[in-house]
Amino acid sequence: MNRKRGQAAMEFLMTYGWALLAIVIIGGLLWVYIGGKECGKSISGALGQNVAITDQKVLANGAITLVMENRAPDDVSVTSIAGTVVSVTLAKGGAAQQVTSAAGGITAGTAGNCYKEKAVAVVYSVTGGASHTLNLKASGTYE
């Protein structure tokens, strides 16, 4: 008689054990993909353009710094980042330069918190050419 009770208890634990394991795995995946504290630093939207963005950071006050490199056949003038006026010339064949917007260029946040897919518009023109706009998406941690 005790054997049957022990077998029933083991079957109960095994059945609910697998269900509990599945719930823990699903919960972990949801935490990572939706609300996890891991912030991946990335910027997208500049592929194939005359200006390359090699790095970025956003300060808690909303100022954004982009490391920009000129890949155009002539000098490039950057006139606006995230709606704030800047005046920077990237020399043809020159080294990458840091270009920073004024505070409030994008939504401010708390240092150490994540920002995801923040829209950043960069307006530039190649010497003697028309004005162009890069519509970038930035993600990372406020500094």
Side-chain angles (χ1 to χ4, degrees), residues 79-96:
T79 56
S80 172
I81 295 179
T84 63
V85 176
V86 296
S87 181
V88 175
T89 299
L90 304 173
K92 171 186 167 185

Side-chain angles (χ1 to χ4, degrees), residues 39-72:
C39 300
K41 185 176 184 180
S42 68
I43 191 153
S44 62
L47 188 63
Q49 300 293 328
N50 291 322
V51 175
I53 310 297
T54 57
D55 197 12
Q56 54 91 12
K57 72 176 178 180
V58 176
L59 301 178
N61 66 3
I64 184 167
T65 299
L66 300 174
V67 178
M68 304 175 79
E69 184 180 329
N70 180 0
R71 294 195 177 160

Side-chain angles (χ1 to χ4, degrees), residues 107-133:
T107 308
T110 305
N113 284 353
C114 296
Y115 58 91
K116 294 186 180 183
E117 297 292 314
K118 295 287 186 182
V120 180
V122 177
V123 180
Y124 72 94
S125 62
V126 179
T127 302
S131 181
H132 303 279
T133 301

Side-chain angles (χ1 to χ4, degrees), residues 1 5-7 16 37 40 55-56 74-75 95 108 110 120 133 138 140 142-143:
M1 184 87 174
R5 232 184 285 177
Q7 181 182 356
Y16 286 97
K37 194 64 179 151
D55 197 12
Q56 54 91 12
D74 212 341
D75 291 351
T110 305
V120 180
T133 301
Y142 287 104
E143 296 184 23

